[in-house]
Amino acid sequence: MLALTNAAIIMLIQLSLLLLLTVPAPISALSSISTSTSNNNNNTYDLVVIGGGSAGLTAAKFAATFQKSVVIVDAAGRLGGDCTWTGCVPSKTLLSCAKAAFMVKNAKKYGVVTGSSEDVRVDWEAIKERIRATQEHIYEEDDSPEVMKSLGIDTILGKAEFQSSNSIQVA
């Protein structure tokens, strides 16, 4: 028996949507999804992506390339998900800082002369600022609602709840 976490199930659903979008379908086979919000904004979209993490952003951007009307509904309050805010981006930035420190400390092995390798210090506050700046850069350039809007993708911050097979309520 295969056990899937909620995140894995959401990823599979989003990847399935990507596959469905790549297979040509007759217009009559396509259905739309209606959304409504607590302030009575009602809209209809070809695709509603629930979750603005890396998979959701990718699914939405991909669908938009096919001129589909798309909305991302995200309850976290900030697009980007775990990858941008707690996982991939912070860890990869931290690794790049560690690599830089290692290279400076071992520069002599590469024929690069610096001060004493014992003089190499790591400034944790500067590293944390580097991580924060990298996250903000990615958010502002790739993940923000403004970027999504420029790609023709709407964004609703809130929790999605299915009302029917083709309708959700966002609170």
Side-chain angles (χ1 to χ4, degrees), residues 90-113:
S91 64
K92 299 295 188 286
T93 305
L94 186 58
L95 287 171
S96 70
C97 293
K99 183 177 179 180
F102 177 84
M103 294 300 289
V104 171
K105 187 171 177 110
N106 293 283
K108 190 172 184 177
K109 293 178 185 177
Y110 300 95
V112 177
V113 180

Side-chain angles (χ1 to χ4, degrees), residues 9-141:
I9 293 168
I10 291 168
M11 177 80 89
L12 288 173
I13 291 168
Q14 290 173 338
L15 290 174
S16 298
L17 290 172
L18 286 176
L19 292 173
L20 289 173
L21 288 172
T22 61
V23 177
I27 296 298
S28 61
L30 299 175
S31 66
S32 58
I33 302 170
S34 297
T35 63
S36 61
T37 59
S38 56
N39 59 359
N40 293 326
N41 287 340
N42 294 314
N43 292 306
T44 301
Y45 296 94
D46 294 318
L47 177 64
V48 174
V49 177
I50 300 174
S54 58
L57 292 169
T58 301
K61 289 174 182 179
F62 187 73
T65 64
F66 293 98
Q67 288 73 48
K68 300 296 181 188
S69 59
V70 181
V71 64
I72 298 173
V73 179
D74 190 80
R78 197 165 200 196
L79 299 178
D82 288 344
C83 187
T84 300
W85 303 112
T86 60
C88 312
V89 173
S91 64
K92 299 295 188 286
T93 305
L94 186 58
L95 287 171
S96 70
C97 293
K99 183 177 179 180
F102 177 84
M103 294 300 289
V104 171
K105 187 171 177 110
N106 293 283
K108 190 172 184 177
K109 293 178 185 177
Y110 300 95
V112 177
V113 180
T114 64
S116 164
S117 64
E118 288 79 36
D119 289 342
V120 176
R121 293 179 301 106
V122 174
D123 180 348
W124 181 240
E125 292 304 316
I127 289 173
K128 289 193 302 187
E129 176 54 28
R130 171 84 176 153
I131 291 169
R132 189 206 60 73
T134 301
Q135 290 170 311
E136 287 298 324
H137 175 77
I138 289 171
Y139 179 75
E140 293 298 327
E141 298 295 320

